[in-house]
Amino acid sequence: MNKKWNYSSFGIPDSYFVRGKAPMTKEEVRAVVMGKLRLQEEHIFVDVGAGTGSVSIEAALKLSKGKVYAIEYKEEALELLEINKNTFEINNLNIMRGRAEIELKKIASFDRIFVGGSSGALPEVLDYAHQHLTPEGRIVITAVTIETLNQGLQGLKTKGFQEIEVISVGISKGRFTGNYTLMEAQNSVYVISGMKK
């Protein structure tokens, strides 16, 4: 067990991470993403657009015999990713600095890939994932716009991925005000997943 997170469940609270202004997959959505990835302890996992590293760290904690590659190019996010890696005392996380379409080419094969952000390179990422995922490897993509949802969904279909699934995750969180609790909605997130056959 990790000193910072000594539970076996997914969905480490957001407050455990140093966040800054870099994007982060929030804890409830992250729990869904981790479930769709279906990790095994020896897997090689790639996180594209790692941001603060919340997904990378959750994966690294599960992959006791595996390895995590976190790809990120934004400087602030890279700094936060390094801080969070050290905070959680993660040893099996390799931070790759650069654009996904370039850095991915340094990884010959992997079992799971998560695309949380691709900065316009989603087609290239899907191409590489399809070619280099192991048989029955899984891909999970999150999208907050209809355009990215469509691009991801059509991309998986075109590449011949199987068991394709898309869900919409809408979370509302309670905010206490005096004697009352207001439910405040967060942005809906689409979670697309599929398996390579």
Side-chain angles (χ1 to χ4, degrees), residues 116-182:
S118 61
S119 296
L122 187 56
E124 293 92 335
V125 170
L126 292 179
D127 281 341
Y128 197 84
H130 183 252
Q131 293 169 23
H132 296 272
L133 268 170
T134 55
E136 299 191 357
R138 292 185 61 79
I139 183 169
V140 176
I141 306 164
T142 53
V144 294
T145 68
I146 298 296
E147 290 77 12
T148 304
L149 166 65
N150 183 58
Q151 190 177 47
L153 189 56
Q154 294 307 315
L156 292 188
K157 289 178 179 179
T158 301
K159 300 293 177 197
F161 279 86
Q162 302 295 308
E163 298 181 18
I164 297 171
E165 182 182 34
V166 58
I167 62 172
S168 175
V169 181
I171 303 294
S172 293
K173 282 194 166 185
R175 179 174 61 85
F176 301 110
T177 172
N179 294 325
Y180 299 96
T181 305
L182 300 176

Side-chain angles (χ1 to χ4, degrees), residues 17-23 52 76 80 84:
F17 297 94
V18 178
R19 293 176 59 184
K21 295 180 181 177
T52 60
E76 181 186 3
L80 293 169
N84 285 317

Side-chain angles (χ1 to χ4, degrees), residues 7-154:
Y7 304 97
S8 60
S9 60
F10 292 127
I12 298 172
D14 293 343
S15 61
Y16 280 46
F17 297 94
V18 178
R19 293 176 59 184
K21 295 180 181 177
M24 183 173 82
T25 303
K26 303 300 190 298
E27 64 189 92
E28 294 85 3
V29 175
R30 195 178 335 116
V32 172
V33 165
M34 300 307 292
K36 298 298 179 185
L37 284 166
R38 300 177 192 166
L39 298 174
Q40 294 179 346
E41 61 181 6
E42 74 281 358
H43 279 160
I44 304 299
F45 171 73
V46 180
D47 182 1
V48 175
T52 60
S54 63
V55 171
S56 291
I57 287 167
E58 290 238 22
L61 291 172
K62 299 298 177 194
L63 302 180
S64 58
K65 299 176 183 176
K67 187 159 186 126
V68 175
Y69 294 95
I71 301 175
E72 180 57 64
Y73 76 95
K74 295 179 181 174
E75 205 52 50
E76 181 186 3
L78 284 163
E79 291 173 12
L80 293 169
L81 183 51
E82 193 70 50
I83 290 169
N84 285 317
K85 174 186 174 181
N86 293 333
T87 298
F88 282 86
E89 300 176 357
I90 302 294
N91 298 316
N92 58 342
L93 171 56
N94 181 24
I95 298 172
M96 303 178 76
R97 297 169 177 262
R99 301 279 303 190
E101 61 271 31
I102 296 169
E103 296 303 309
L104 269 174
K105 294 175 182 174
K106 300 175 183 177
I107 311 169
S109 178
F110 43 91
D111 304 289
R112 301 291 188 266
I113 183 168
F114 169 64
V115 186
S118 61
S119 296
L122 187 56
E124 293 92 335
V125 170
L126 292 179
D127 281 341
Y128 197 84
H130 183 252
Q131 293 169 23
H132 296 272
L133 268 170
T134 55
E136 299 191 357
R138 292 185 61 79
I139 183 169
V140 176
I141 306 164
T142 53
V144 294
T145 68
I146 298 296
E147 290 77 12
T148 304
L149 166 65
N150 183 58
Q151 190 177 47
L153 189 56
Q154 294 307 315

